[in-house]
Amino acid sequence: MYVPRIYPVFYSWPCPFWYYPLYRLPESSYPPVETSLFAQSLQESQALIEHGRTIVTHLAANEGKMYDLMTAAQAGNDDQVDQIVGSTGVPIDVETSYTPRSVTFRLRQSTATIPRCCTLTMNIVWTDY
């Protein structure tokens, strides 16, 4: 039986395995940490969460409103959907979108110092198919 002989391979100087690429870590592109704007955004987010809670609580307590909202959404009546959502008493504009499976409420808050401060998106399923 033939067994091939494996001989070591010798490289002439310089050996290619001795050269390693030098990797340089990129410098941070983030600004220095400043929490004041983040704290303002968190305060505004708390207000958005309360507005979202108001919508959910109002609709959950009134089955007639739930039925009207689903009926208007399935009929594609955007004006009536906006009227029903507006009747919950939330003082900010609520962007509403819906599919045959769910309704999505998007609440946005802007302040004078933070133009696009915060967004709260709630997706609520109303059928299981």
Side-chain angles (χ1 to χ4, degrees):
M1 171 150 89
Y2 173 73
V3 178
R5 299 195 79 164
I6 300 175
Y7 296 100
V9 177
F10 295 100
Y11 292 100
S12 63
W13 181 261
C15 180
F17 297 111
W18 291 355
Y19 291 103
Y20 296 104
L22 296 175
Y23 294 105
R24 194 167 180 200
L25 295 174
E27 294 184 25
S28 177
S29 60
Y30 294 107
V33 173
E34 172 59 46
T35 60
S36 62
L37 187 63
F38 187 48
Q40 288 176 335
S41 295
L42 288 172
Q43 278 186 315
E44 294 299 326
S45 295
Q46 287 177 337
L48 283 179
I49 290 169
E50 287 304 316
H51 295 322
R53 183 186 319 263
T54 300
I55 292 171
V56 170
T57 303
H58 186 80
L59 290 174
N62 193 338
E63 193 168 342
K65 293 266 181 162
M66 283 190 276
Y67 181 82
D68 293 342
L69 179 71
M70 290 178 68
T71 303
Q74 289 177 353
N77 191 344
D78 294 335
D79 294 332
Q80 188 175 2
V81 169
D82 291 340
Q83 178 189 11
I84 294 167
V85 173
S87 72
T88 61
V90 175
I92 61 173
D93 289 334
V94 179
E95 180 184 317
T96 306
S97 60
Y98 38 86
T99 66
R101 189 168 189 267
S102 65
V103 62
T104 302
F105 301 112
R106 181 169 285 128
L107 293 80
R108 294 191 176 153
Q109 186 71 26
S110 294
T111 64
T113 57
I114 312 169
R116 294 175 307 191
C117 169
C118 316
T119 302
L120 174 67
T121 304
M122 299 184 302
N123 186 49
I124 303 170
V125 176
W126 59 32
T127 187
D128 62 351
Y129 65 87

